[in-house]
Amino acid sequence: MTISRQLMKSAAVAFATLAASSGTALAGGEVVYANGVRQVGAAVPVPVPVPVPEVSTGWYFRVDAAYSQGDVSKYRSTDPYVDSFRADSYLENFPRYGFGFGYYFNKNLRGDITLDQRNDAESRGRGIRDYTVANTAGGTNSTIALRDTYSDTFITSNATVLANLYADLPVNDRFTPYIGGGIGFVRHQLKGRDFSRATTCIDTVDCNPATAGDQAGDTVLNSTAATTAGGINYQLAAALMAGFSYKFWDNTKLDLGYRWLYLQGASYAGRSLTTVENLKIPDQNIHEVRVGLRYEIN
């Protein structure tokens, strides 16, 4: 009888072991045995999720506005009398607007192509010149005193195209200082010019050599005018920039910075009444405070 009990006990242990080995493993390492008893086993290892990188084309679009201060107070002309009285407006301080497209090569390097436009600037010249001419036709005195009154008006504008390269120096995910430089061309445009001269006699003795003793002062002797059509001139442009950007939306950054802009001057062949003269736009060094938005195209 004792032997039978031992055989039955051994069979029960063997059966239980077989049932344990044939149990089903659940996802959390839980094992269910055939006799309904649940026991917790070792957890099945789960692979660590691999982060999926954000896909971006690297392209961005930008719009900018600037307050500009230049070092040119007036234009120049080869006419010796015009330059002495010209009064130019909006040449030293003026706004500039622009837009462009760019590409992020990596987190530290990007480039873009920008187009900026300056508002029209009107230049007005007013002045007088007193002089004498020989009285070759006879009359009371040997010379006649004359006065020329000049008037000169024209409008100019310019557009700048630059290819720029920047070094970004990110501090964190939102704040990124940068430095950069660019090179390209400026398109100077002269939008027509009106130049006139009126000559009057201011001699108190003799204004008409054909009549001795004539004292009709301020008699208009002649009045002439010349109009020059507009013209376009392309010259070198270059720039150096420094500033920072701040990301306030996922795809949008505020850009605030300084730009030094060099514009090579231009010359327009014109006509000052009966003689040929040139209107000269000198080289310009422009300092700009710029603000803009950059929208990243994903």
Side-chain angles (χ1 to χ4, degrees):
M1 194 69 177
T2 301
I3 296 174
S4 299
R5 289 179 179 174
Q6 290 180 347
L7 291 175
M8 292 177 64
K9 186 177 180 180
S10 299
V13 172
F15 182 80
T17 303
L18 180 62
S21 64
S22 61
T24 303
L26 301 181
E30 198 175 54
V31 179
V32 179
Y33 293 97
N35 58 3
V37 178
R38 294 165 106 38
Q39 294 185 2
V40 178
V44 178
V46 179
V48 178
V50 178
V52 179
E54 183 180 353
V55 178
S56 175
T57 62
W59 292 99
Y60 64 88
F61 173 77
R62 65 180 300 159
V63 292
D64 300 279
Y67 173 77
S68 306
Q69 183 173 17
D71 63 345
V72 173
S73 60
K74 62 170 83 174
Y75 293 132
R76 297 287 183 263
S77 172
T78 56
D79 188 313
Y81 308 111
V82 174
D83 186 55
S84 62
F85 58 77
R86 182 180 307 288
D88 295 313
S89 58
Y90 309 113
L91 292 183
E92 292 179 307
N93 302 287
F94 50 88
R96 188 182 291 272
Y97 312 96
F99 67 94
F101 288 94
Y103 187 81
Y104 291 97
F105 299 103
N106 53 53
K107 69 175 184 177
N108 298 115
L109 187 65
R110 61 184 170 89
D112 58 33
I113 295 176
T114 56
L115 169 64
D116 294 281
Q117 176 73 38
R118 191 202 74 188
N119 283 356
D120 289 351
E122 185 179 70
S123 176
R124 292 181 178 273
R126 296 287 188 273
I128 60 175
R129 179 176 70 102
D130 293 342
Y131 59 102
T132 61
V133 296
N135 187 352
T136 59
T140 304
N141 56 333
S142 60
T143 61
I144 298 177
L146 300 178
R147 171 173 292 170
D148 283 352
T149 302
Y150 293 90
S151 175
D152 189 13
T153 303
F154 60 88
I155 296 175
T156 63
S157 68
N158 67 48
T160 306
V161 176
L162 292 173
N164 309 290
L165 195 63
Y166 308 87
D168 286 333
L169 309 169
V171 175
N172 51 46
D173 291 341
R174 292 188 178 274
F175 183 72
T176 304
Y178 66 83
I179 56 175
I183 191 167
F185 65 89
V186 56
R187 179 182 183 268
H188 294 289
Q189 183 175 12
L190 174 65
K191 298 183 176 181
R193 182 184 187 190
D194 294 320
F195 188 101
S196 66
R197 180 185 69 191
T199 303
T200 60
C201 177
I202 57 173
D203 202 302
T204 59
V205 176
D206 190 357
C207 278
N208 187 351
T211 304
D214 185 1
Q215 300 182 33
D218 292 331
T219 300
V220 176
L221 299 183
N222 60 67
S223 180
T224 56
T227 300
T228 302
I232 295 175
N233 199 304
Y234 293 91
Q235 298 294 338
L236 175 69
L240 293 175
M241 297 82 75
F244 68 88
S245 64
Y246 182 80
K247 179 188 288 188
F248 60 92
W249 286 334
D250 287 343
N251 294 339
T252 307
K253 294 180 179 179
L254 173 68
D255 194 319
L256 181 64
Y258 161 82
R259 182 171 78 171
W260 167 79
L261 182 63
Y262 167 77
L263 303 179
Q264 189 177 17
S267 178
Y268 298 94
R271 186 167 59 90
S272 174
L273 305 177
T274 58
T275 62
V276 175
E277 58 87 36
N278 288 331
L279 173 67
K280 295 180 182 293
I281 300 177
D283 293 357
Q284 300 176 58
N285 291 280
I286 300 171
H287 304 277
E288 295 182 338
V289 176
R290 300 175 63 82
V291 61
L293 293 176
R294 271 189 269 145
Y295 179 75
E296 299 171 356
I297 306 171
N298 292 329

